[in-house]
Amino acid sequence: MASIARVHVPSGNRALILTSIAVPLTGWTVHAVSLHRKLAAARRDPLTGLLGRDGYTTRARQITDRHGDNALVVLVDLDHFKEINDGPGGHAAGDRVLAATAQRLTAWAGSRGIAGRLGGDEFAVAVRVAPARRELRLAQLVTLLAQPVEVDGGALVDVAASVGAASPDVLGTTDLSVLQRAADAAMYAGKHTGRAVLADRSHAAVASINGRRAGRAGTHTLGKAA
């Protein structure tokens, strides 16, 4: 039978060896977690090219924290989107409308903001806008989003969107979860009116689950973004 050689290491040296092994492993774990978070934050929606919920949230918080009263958080919900998906153009037409909406939101936000797709036909934008220009900029956004979208075959699809917005100076906070909750409530207060609604403090007090108006998709499970 083969013999097994045993090496006796003093207890102090054993502790040193274990520590020398643990330090690199701990460092690698921290690095791996950090890398995972960065990749998740950078992940983009394959259809629209916009940042997903987590990536958008990271960037939006940077904007609200940095620009304070000059920041604006906007939520957008496409109206009658199911009818587009169920219409003659089918899901291809729906995908084209989503992609066009993403392009328009990106153009509207410009270099001063970031747009993201929260899921389905829900979008969000965080942007730096001077308080004196908010109403004008929001009106421009509503007009832009209401432009017909050309789908396969050259057909035009009529689209409309509900828009709600919230700002730190009105609500007295830069907390993104509060701003998004208020913007969401304002958006539904103005649903199908053809105008954007800027939230006031009453919108921030609307009952919510996981930072979203009760009854909205995603309120039945723990959300990450808000």
Side-chain angles (χ1 to χ4, degrees), residues 180-207:
Q180 288 193 167
R181 182 170 68 244
D184 184 69
M187 178 179 66
Y188 268 79
K191 194 73 174 170
H192 306 305
T193 64
R195 63 184 180 85
V197 177
L198 183 63
D200 56 32
R201 290 178 183 267
S202 68
H203 293 106
V206 171

Side-chain angles (χ1 to χ4, degrees), residues 16-166:
L16 180 60
I17 292 172
L18 290 174
T19 301
S20 66
I21 295 174
V23 168
L25 289 177
T26 302
W28 170 249
T29 301
V30 171
H31 173 71
V33 170
S34 175
L35 180 61
H36 174 76
R37 289 175 177 171
K38 289 179 180 179
L39 289 174
R43 191 171 297 126
R44 292 185 176 271
D45 173 53
L47 175 62
T48 64
L50 296 181
L51 289 173
R53 182 181 294 272
D54 290 345
Y56 162 77
T57 298
T58 298
R59 295 287 301 279
R61 282 193 174 125
Q62 293 171 352
I63 291 173
T64 56
D65 290 344
R66 182 178 303 162
H67 299 296
D69 291 349
N70 287 315
L72 187 68
V73 173
V74 183
L75 289 191
V76 174
D77 194 51
L78 295 179
D79 297 336
H80 311 299
F81 182 70
K82 186 176 185 302
E83 295 177 11
I84 297 175
N85 260 339
D86 295 342
H91 288 284
D95 288 349
R96 182 70 191 94
V97 168
L98 291 173
T101 299
Q103 292 170 358
R104 292 168 178 179
L105 290 174
T106 299
W108 182 80
S111 61
R112 296 187 172 193
I114 187 68
R117 184 185 181 192
L118 302 185
D121 59 334
E122 293 181 77
F123 299 86
V125 181
V127 64
R128 176 163 58 98
V129 178
R133 302 197 66 231
R134 280 181 197 144
E135 290 188 12
L136 174 62
R137 292 282 281 134
L138 287 171
Q140 290 172 339
L141 176 61
V142 171
T143 300
L144 181 63
L145 294 176
Q147 299 300 313
V149 174
E150 184 175 337
V151 297
D152 292 343
L156 293 177
V157 174
D158 290 328
V159 295
S162 296
V163 178

